[in-house]
Amino acid sequence: MSHARPGRGRTRRAHLRIVASVLVAVVFVAACGGGSDTESRYEGLAVAPSELRQIPHMVLSDTAGNDFGLAADTEGQVRLVYQLFTNCPDICGVQLAQLASVLGRPGAPKNVQVLAVTVDPDRDTPEILRAYLDQFSADFVGLIPRSEQQLTDLQNVLGSLASFKIFDTTPTTDHDHSTDVDADAAHDHGAYDIGHDGRVFAFAPNGYGYAQYPYPTRQSQFDHDLPILAVIDPDAPSGAGL
């Protein structure tokens, strides 16, 4: 879903695809750095994290304005944590559509919850975020960090790459007169995109993050992994059952 100005959407989408490709490359390098113990523990699952982490014990705001604990309010479930923003040109929508399709398939485990965290709390109001997610699934939980610092803290705990704003300062023309658009003016008008980590972070019912899904990931990988993650006992220690 893009809100780019006419004639410039293609450039912005290309820019975001380049950013996404760089982020994915960095993610693969980091994720493949584990030793043989890590590889055996996660054999058969998607990209294994180089460091086993627990789901963040943080409280954000949901789209109804209520407190939502990432860990406390999702006990016993597989949590798929995904960062997004509603002005995303295409990648975020593709990921959400894929998750909706995976979870809507016959036989898909029922104890899977998508936690969609906006990286653009300045523009993504609860109403905007809810309307965006409802295009894919009314069951997706929309979450809004309460501050930039909380977003940074969340990304640090996830082991996520930091999100950053990309201001559109490309010169524009008006009646054959060139006008430069500086970063301050772009910021004032909300004219920016956001580069962010495109991974889906998967946490099993015991709270441990056993798998990560970079963009793009085949649907068959989710079909394979989610039933495995879904049956892990909530009280199991890290690595148990895999």
Side-chain angles (χ1 to χ4, degrees), residues 19 30 37 99 110 120 123 149 187 200 219 225:
V19 171
D37 179 64
L99 292 176
K110 302 301 182 183
D120 191 13
R123 294 185 297 188
Q149 185 60 54
H187 185 278
V200 175
Q219 182 163 316
D225 291 3

Side-chain angles (χ1 to χ4, degrees), residues 11 166 174 208 236 242:
T11 301
I166 304 170
D174 183 17
Y208 288 93
L242 294 179

Side-chain angles (χ1 to χ4, degrees), residues 101-110:
S101 178
V102 166
L103 298 179
R105 291 167 67 90
K110 302 301 182 183

Side-chain angles (χ1 to χ4, degrees), residues 58-211:
M58 300 177 65
V59 177
L60 285 72
S61 297
D62 66 17
T63 52
N66 300 318
D67 293 348
F68 189 95
L70 288 177
D73 289 327
T74 58
E75 292 183 355
Q77 300 180 6
V78 176
R79 300 85 154 190
L80 301 180
V81 181
Y82 181 59
Q83 300 171 76
L84 55 81
F85 67 111
T86 64
N87 282 280
C88 183
D90 44 27
I91 293 174
C92 297
V94 172
Q95 288 278 57
L96 293 174
Q98 182 181 54
L99 292 176
S101 178
V102 166
L103 298 179
R105 291 167 67 90
K110 302 301 182 183
N111 62 329
V112 180
Q113 183 65 72
V114 174
L115 305 178
V117 182
T118 179
V119 294
D120 191 13
D122 290 340
R123 294 185 297 188
D124 289 344
T125 65
E127 295 78 15
I128 289 175
L129 181 57
R130 183 70 265 155
Y132 180 75
L133 294 176
D134 284 347
Q135 298 176 80
F136 307 97
S137 173
D139 293 329
F140 289 175
V141 177
L143 297 172
I144 302 174
R146 295 175 172 176
S147 66
E148 289 292 335
Q149 185 60 54
Q150 187 181 49
L151 176 58
T152 298
D153 293 342
L154 173 63
Q155 292 170 339
N156 288 338
V157 177
L158 287 174
S160 164
L161 300 173
S163 56
F164 55 93
K165 293 180 178 178
I166 304 170
F167 294 102
D168 188 352
T169 58
T170 306
T172 60
T173 58
D174 183 17
H175 300 297
D176 298 324
H177 295 287
S178 178
T179 304
D180 290 335
V181 180
D182 62 25
D184 290 338
H187 185 278
D188 290 342
H189 292 87
Y192 59 86
D193 284 311
I194 296 182
H196 66 94
D197 200 318
R199 285 175 288 179
V200 175
F201 293 82
F203 295 88
N206 65 351
Y208 288 93
Y210 294 113

Side-chain angles (χ1 to χ4, degrees), residues 10-34:
R10 183 176 302 172
T11 301
R12 296 176 67 193
R13 285 193 293 272
H15 193 174
L16 265 291
R17 287 194 185 98
I18 292 171
V19 171
S21 298
V22 172
L23 293 179
V24 168
V26 173
V27 166
F28 270 114
V29 170
C32 293

